[in-house]
Amino acid sequence: MGARNLMSHAITVDDLPPSFAEFVRGQGRARGLDDPLPAVTHGLRTDEETMNRESRGGPTSDRYVVEMLLTPDLLIVAHRQSDDAETDPGARVRFHRLEQLEVATDTGSAKAATARLAMPAKSIPVTSTPLGGMKRATYQLPIAIDPDVQRFRDALVAAVDAARA
């Protein structure tokens, strides 16, 4: 694998391509949810581009998009390779109930702070059983270093705390 480029920025529901927004709604209906998109309070999009070296024909690149949408009850995580869900057979959406979600936080130790300075985090680890899932798992949600990321992380932790209260 070659170079990996991550870019993250805040989004709103209106920033979702219409066909993908409908895909999210349809996946929600399949899991017994009313349309979750009107309740979204925060959103974060991470674009990942991976450059691969090929022995013949030159380099190639793969593009992946992860959108995280936060509502007062859910974390919605959508993965895709294109803006059109109908042409992306790998597109998937997971819905996580906030009261069941665990968000990894820093320990605050000097050792952890040193490690963060040496190697910036490239993910938000969350542990959950997604709706319709059979087992609890930890998901590494990719992120870049950006002020929008910290705002989203803070909103996610506050929403998880509020859902458990």
Side-chain angles (χ1 to χ4, degrees):
M1 180 186 298
R4 179 179 181 214
N5 184 32
L6 288 171
M7 293 176 31
S8 295
H9 61 277
I11 61 169
T12 67
V13 170
D14 295 335
D15 295 321
L16 294 175
S19 65
F20 200 72
E22 189 52 43
F23 178 72
V24 171
R25 288 181 183 103
Q27 293 295 303
R29 284 189 299 272
R31 288 166 181 81
L33 299 173
D34 290 332
D35 181 1
L37 296 182
V40 169
T41 60
H42 294 81
L44 186 71
R45 175 180 172 155
T46 298
D47 293 286
E48 177 180 0
E49 187 171 10
T50 305
M51 299 294 293
N52 298 306
R53 293 181 185 227
E54 296 227 346
S55 59
R56 292 179 264 183
T60 61
S61 67
D62 294 315
R63 180 174 170 257
Y64 302 95
V65 176
V66 176
E67 280 136 342
M68 295 169 263
L69 305 169
L70 183 61
T71 76
D73 301 316
L74 296 170
L75 172 64
I76 304 164
V77 181
H79 299 264
R80 59 191 170 91
Q81 288 183 301
S82 78
D83 286 337
D84 185 355
E86 294 175 13
T87 62
D88 185 356
R92 64 189 187 281
V93 179
R94 290 188 179 106
F95 300 87
H96 302 273
R97 294 245 183 245
L98 293 181
E99 69 267 5
Q100 299 174 355
L101 191 75
E102 293 176 32
V103 181
T105 57
D106 298 329
T107 61
S109 71
K111 186 175 181 180
T114 302
R116 284 192 311 274
L117 290 174
M119 177 68 86
K122 296 286 185 191
S123 67
I124 300 174
V126 298
T127 303
S128 173
T129 304
L131 291 178
M134 298 302 289
K135 64 181 187 175
R136 195 164 175 79
T138 299
Y139 302 91
Q140 301 290 333
L141 306 176
I143 55 169
I145 304 304
D146 185 275
D148 289 340
V149 171
Q150 190 59 48
R151 284 189 285 276
F152 183 83
R153 186 191 310 258
D154 292 345
L156 177 59
V157 169
V160 167
D161 290 344
R164 291 185 180 160

